[in-house]
Amino acid sequence: DLNIIHDNYESLKKQVDFLISVSKDDLILIDLSDHEALTDKPEPLTASCFYFFHLEKMADFAKLTNQNKDYKYYSTLKEKTR
């Protein structure tokens, strides 16, 4: 149902734009990770994988809603992050 994407597009965009604003060199270097773990976890790897996923979904949503400028922007960032 594209109505869900249309209705929430601006909120999703704000969330992804926030992630972009805290990224450094196309990576997210901070994360809560698994705060219950007894051993160290690779927070930047996990956080950066989720960052990539968000960029990918935002590009998909932009394409589905004909937001061509956003599609190009998020697709470019996604490929740069890959």
Side-chain angles (χ1 to χ4, degrees):
D1 184 2
L2 289 179
N3 288 325
I4 295 170
I5 296 171
H6 280 287
D7 292 347
N8 294 286
Y9 186 84
E10 288 304 316
S11 296
L12 294 166
K13 186 174 175 179
K14 286 179 185 179
Q15 177 186 2
V16 174
D17 288 346
F18 169 76
L19 293 175
I20 293 166
S21 76
V22 298
S23 69
K24 181 174 178 163
D25 298 325
D26 306 310
L27 297 171
I28 302 289
L29 302 176
I30 56 170
D31 186 25
L32 292 176
S33 188
D34 182 355
H35 55 277
E36 297 294 325
L38 300 175
T39 59
D40 288 338
K41 300 291 180 197
E43 289 94 355
L45 174 63
T46 304
S48 294
C49 288
F50 278 107
Y51 175 55
F52 176 84
F53 176 78
H54 280 81
L55 291 172
E56 183 176 55
K57 291 296 112 194
M58 198 64 219
D60 291 345
F61 295 155
K63 187 175 184 178
L64 288 168
T65 57
N66 296 316
Q67 302 289 330
N68 298 326
K69 184 177 173 184
D70 286 351
Y71 171 71
K72 184 176 180 180
Y73 175 68
Y74 293 115
S75 293
T76 300
L77 282 175
K78 179 189 78 164
E79 291 307 314
K80 192 175 172 188
T81 302
R82 186 183 297 265

